[in-house]
Amino acid sequence: MATAKTWKIAREIGDAVIKASRNPNRRWYGPHMAAAVRAISERIPLVDFVLEIRDARIPLSSEYELLRKFSPLPSKQIIVLNKMELAVPLELKKCIDYFEERNYLSYAVNSHNKDCVKQFLNFLQSQVRELHKAGHSGHTTTMMVLGIPNVGKSALANSLHHIGRISAAEKGKLKHTTVSSQPGDTKDIMSLKIGSHPNVYVLDTPGIFPPNLYDAEICAKLALTGAIPDDIVGELKLARLFLMILNSSHEYKKWAKLCKSQDLTESLSDESSKSDAKRKRQYATDHTQDFIVHEVRRVLYETISAFDGNLEDETSIGNLIDTQFAALRTVLRVPEDASEFADLRVASKIVNLYRTGRLGHYTLEHVSALAKS
């Protein structure tokens, strides 16, 4: 089976990101990032913990390389694999084991799941207790959240703050750090309280890349997962790369039941007035609604199942993707305008559905291969 590393489109995406990183304007490494690096370097010797947030789909490529440049570092460093709900569970377990074998403390979390964040907060509080047993004399413990752009640092910091304050039954206005699907929206360091007795604070920091990037394979993964601004590469290429990954995986086979139940579902909907009323409240142009997502999955399943070409040949799989785009225009209610414009509309919706987990679980790199080497 082909991998992203061997695909021409992945190399093109990676090369475009590298070229942009060398642009004198440095679109993601502007003055605010340079200022953030200075602010972090000044504060990091004063904190008790470093929480390095990574994307669970790319646990190695999303490493915060600048962490190596800061000194001195706290003794407690925890690798937090955020967006665990988007990764393949088995691969996530292998990743945790991989870090454990190398004496790295790691934890997987979904920053949008209340129970998951509560468990993570309990884990952090246990680490704080261990720190105090080891002789930490301060009444306040501070944790700095670090990571590259768009790995969910601010979302996780906000969730910890909200649940921590509720658990402590504290009154007062909750703070909010800026949360956005666009990389680079956090500009300043912000302190949020997540625990009491003892007091525990997290410092949310801006996402930062090194001034230059060099590895095209890593850059392609960063672009696909949303760490790089989409306009540097273009959503059309990103959508085609995702469809290559989907078409070469077994994830689509989970959608087989959608085709078998389609006729029955439609007939029952026609007979049920309640279903008809519900349909009227649905918006056909909103691709995030369940009935649209189900249709997208069904179309993708049918086109892959009917394909009799070679999925390891990039030209052949490219023809399949062209077929899929044509079918998705109808399902996603994209008007038949100029073909390129219509494909851009489709691409934008497909990339969004991938990044929000509506089209399955994907881990884009496998630590098991490294463990054997």
Side-chain angles (χ1 to χ4, degrees):
M1 182 179 294
T3 64
K5 184 177 181 180
T6 64
W7 288 326
K8 179 182 177 183
I9 192 169
R11 293 194 300 271
E12 290 176 353
I13 290 172
D15 289 342
V17 173
I18 291 173
K19 182 178 179 181
S21 77
R22 294 173 182 171
N23 188 307
N25 294 326
R26 285 181 179 156
R27 300 191 48 195
W28 59 70
Y29 198 86
H32 75 281
M33 279 202 178
V37 170
R38 290 193 297 271
I40 291 171
S41 64
E42 291 171 359
R43 294 198 189 191
I44 203 166
L46 306 176
V47 305
D48 303 296
F49 288 82
V50 163
L51 307 182
E52 183 194 352
I53 315 300
R54 299 192 189 184
D55 189 320
R57 296 167 294 179
I58 48 172
L60 302 178
S61 296
S62 57
E63 178 187 4
Y64 187 71
E65 293 184 15
L66 289 174
L67 187 58
R68 306 172 193 168
K69 300 182 180 297
F70 297 131
S71 179
L73 288 173
S75 58
K76 282 282 188 179
Q77 299 175 45
I78 304 173
I79 297 174
V80 182
L81 300 173
N82 194 23
K83 305 187 181 184
M84 62 174 290
E85 73 280 9
L86 304 180
V88 178
L90 179 59
E91 292 297 329
L92 186 59
K93 174 63 169 60
K94 291 179 181 178
C95 187
I96 296 290
D97 293 341
Y98 174 85
F99 288 128
E100 183 178 343
E101 290 168 1
R102 286 152 183 79
N103 298 317
Y104 290 110
L105 189 60
S106 62
Y107 197 98
V109 68
N110 172 359
S111 62
H112 300 291
N113 182 287
K114 182 178 178 180
D115 291 334
C116 189
V117 174
K118 189 177 294 185
Q119 291 173 11
F120 180 51
L121 181 60
N122 291 336
F123 167 77
L124 292 178
Q125 290 171 337
S126 71
Q127 294 299 312
V128 171
R129 288 193 292 270
E130 286 187 15
L131 188 67
H132 281 268
K133 287 179 181 178
H136 179 69
S137 58
H139 297 291
T140 299
T141 301
T142 306
M143 304 179 178
M144 180 174 278
V145 175
L146 297 173
I148 64 172
N150 214 21
V151 289
K153 298 181 300 300
S154 296
L156 181 58
N158 278 334
S159 295
L160 288 169
H161 175 54
H162 293 175
I163 292 176
R165 292 291 295 273
I166 293 171
S167 300
E170 289 196 0
K171 296 180 180 179
K173 186 177 180 180
L174 291 171
K175 295 182 180 179
H176 298 271
T177 64
T178 301
V179 177
S180 171
S181 61
Q182 298 302 314
D185 272 4
T186 302
K187 305 294 184 186
D188 302 305
I189 297 177
M190 185 172 183
S191 175
L192 299 171
K193 190 174 185 179
I194 67 170
S196 300
H197 312 297
N199 293 326
V200 182
Y201 289 84
V202 292
L203 300 179
D204 184 32
T205 64
I208 303 173
F209 278 124
N212 292 292
L213 301 175
Y214 300 98
D215 189 306
E217 181 183 358
I218 290 177
C219 289
K221 297 172 188 175
L222 293 172
L224 184 57
T225 53
I228 304 291
D230 288 340
D231 59 350
I232 288 178
V233 174
E235 289 177 313
L236 190 56
K237 285 188 176 181
L238 293 174
R240 293 186 73 89
L241 176 57
F242 164 67
L243 288 175
M244 281 193 167
I245 294 170
L246 168 65
N247 294 336
S248 300
S249 74
H250 298 291
E251 191 72 12
Y252 75 95
K253 294 180 180 179
K254 299 177 182 178
W255 305 331
K257 61 182 180 181
L258 295 176
C259 296
K260 297 177 182 178
S261 62
Q262 182 67 16
D263 294 337
L264 176 61
T265 301
E266 290 180 352
S267 63
L268 290 176
S269 295
D270 291 337
E271 296 171 5
S272 171
S273 59
K274 182 180 289 188
S275 294
D276 287 341
K278 184 177 180 181
R279 276 280 179 183
K280 292 177 182 178
R281 294 195 299 271
Q282 294 174 332
Y283 297 91
T285 56
D286 181 1
H287 67 281
T288 64
Q289 294 188 106
D290 288 344
F291 80 100
I292 295 290
V293 175
H294 288 179
E295 281 292 288
V296 169
R297 292 173 179 170
R298 182 182 63 80
V299 164
L300 291 173
Y301 174 82
E302 290 178 347
T303 53
I304 300 172
S305 299
F307 182 67
D308 59 359
N310 182 4
L311 288 175
E312 294 187 0
D313 177 70
E314 188 156 1
T315 301
S316 183
I317 201 172
N319 293 333
L320 169 60
I321 292 173
D322 290 338
T323 300
Q324 290 172 324
F325 263 87
L328 288 168
R329 289 179 202 166
T330 301
V331 171
L332 292 170
R333 279 66 170 178
V334 174
E336 286 296 330
D337 299 316
S339 178
E340 183 178 357
F341 178 78
D343 283 350
L344 286 173
R345 293 275 298 275
V346 170
S348 179
K349 294 173 186 289
I350 290 299
V351 169
N352 174 261
L353 292 177
Y354 155 67
R355 289 178 178 167
T356 53
R358 306 300 299 279
L359 296 180
H361 301 83
Y362 302 89
T363 298
L364 305 184
E365 54 194 13
H366 307 286
V367 296
S368 55
L370 293 176
K372 296 176 183 178
S373 60

